[in-house]
Structures are given as structure tokens and as C-alpha cells.
Amino acid sequence: EAGVAQSPRYKIIEKRQSVAFWCNPISGHATLYWYQQILGQGPKLLIQFQNNGVVDDSQLPKDRFSAERLKGVDSTLKIQPAKLEDSAVYLCASSLEFEYEQYFGPGTRLTVT
Amino acid sequence: RKEVEQDPGPFNVPEGATVAFNCTYSNSASQSFFWYRQDCRKEPKLLMSVYSSGNEDGRFTAQLNRASQYISLLIRDSKLSDSATYLCVVRGYSTLTFGKGTMLLVSP
């Protein structure tokens, strides 16, 4: 079974630029999550989708971050404009339903200079 | 008080040692609990769920005390391959909160 796919794996941008990350969850998984993990910290949930609807985006900085999950499958997370403090690993995870085990993708390591 | 708090690390132990990690959570309505393992520069992976009666998986034992809002993970007979960061995870009605993690370094 293929795992959660993410791209790109690495990205370096300058502050005030825009960036987008892509996630393809495990086939059939209804729930998709985006996390931000800053070095030395645990993952912080940014947004959670159930199919193509948003369940929780309370910790998403909506002035600069946006996410969508069209057709309830793939998802993109965008940052516009980026700040230095956005440097982190962005992890995508999926689960069959909310109460089931989450499977994480390899993450996208973002460096903002 | 932070939602999920873990022992600050790192823990440095020799091979064969027994090590225990502690975790406390603030929301008494939390529903389920997990330990995840994260290797350096890798994604987190589920190690084990934590059940009220306590549960064991080989060398790993997890305990939950709902009254004290406390979770623990015990690793017996540590192996070099156990070196990783251990994340305590708490699930509420619709949210999942990760602790900061505790790093374990097992040396020969």
C-alpha cells in the first residue's frame, strides 16, 4: 500500500515570497491533516479535513496560510507571504477516519531566509 | 498549563537500561492517548495506543492514570535502535495534540 506522498521535500525561499506544498493521502482515507513542526517541538495541527470539508483550522494563521482539499483527495497548503518564523517541516497525515491511526508523509522542509 | 507536557530530554542511557517517560495533559475530557516515535529527520510513527488498563507490547509498557491526567511509557532492555524522540499524543473530541517530545539516546 502506498504511503502519504508529499512534495516538494525541500524548499528554500526568501521572506515575503509565496510557497505551496502538495499532499496525496493514502487511498480511501477520509481525514487529512496538515501539521507544522518547528525544530525541537512536537507537530502542531494547522488544519484538519474530513473529505473536502474543514473540521478544525483554529491554529491556522489565516492571514497568510490557506489550504484546500478539492474533491476530498489531494490537498495543498499555501503560505503567502512567508515569514522567517515559518521555517519548519510541514507534515501531512491521513487516516481512514478521525478515530483511526494517522499515517504521516515524509514532510516538506521549508527554510525562509 | 500546556495542553500536553512531557519530560524535557534528552535521556542518555546505556544499552540494556530501563527508561520511563512521563506525560501530563490538561484537558480532563481527553478521550484517547498514544505514544508516537520520531526518528531524526523522519516523520512520526505510531508506537502504541495507551489503554486505561495499561498495555504492553514486547519491551514497551504504557500506562494511563485518568484521575491524575498522566501517561507513561516504560522501555525495558533498551536497544541502540530505540534512540529516537518519543511523542505523547492526546485526542479530544475532534482534535489531536502532540507533546514536545522527549529524546532518548541509547549508547553502547
Side-chain angles (χ1 to χ4, degrees), chain A residues 18-69:
Chain A
S18 301
V19 65
F21 312 128
W22 173 82
C23 173
N24 179 236
I26 293 173
S27 177
H29 280 197
T31 312
L32 185 147
Y33 313 78
W34 282 103
Y35 290 89
Q36 178 193 59
Q37 187 172 24
I38 291 171
L39 188 65
Q41 303 287 325
K44 182 181 87 169
L45 180 68
L46 293 176
I47 189 166
Q48 176 185 333
F49 292 95
Q50 180 68 19
N51 296 309
N52 61 347
V54 175
V55 174
D56 182 359
D57 64 356
S58 56
Q59 299 193 90
L60 186 74
K62 297 181 186 65
D63 57 333
R64 298 184 301 106
F65 286 64
S66 63
E68 59 182 9
R69 191 183 184 197

Side-chain angles (χ1 to χ4, degrees), chain A residues 37 39-43, chain B residues 4-13 19-24 34-40 44-45 47 60 70-75 81-89 98-106:
Chain A
Q37 187 172 24
L39 188 65
Q41 303 287 325
Chain B
V4 180
E5 289 198 73
Q6 295 188 238
D7 290 331
F11 283 24
N12 288 280
V13 302
V19 60
F21 301 125
N22 301 311
C23 172
T24 57
F34 310 89
W35 284 101
Y36 275 70
R37 171 192 169 127
Q38 187 171 26
D39 292 299
C40 187
K45 292 184 179 178
L47 177 66
F60 299 82
Y70 167 87
I71 306 155
S72 65
L73 176 69
L74 185 76
I75 305 177
S81 57
D82 294 333
S83 296
T85 295
Y86 292 82
L87 298 158
C88 175
V89 184
F98 283 73
K100 189 175 177 179
T102 303
M103 183 182 291
L104 172 66
L105 300 170
V106 182

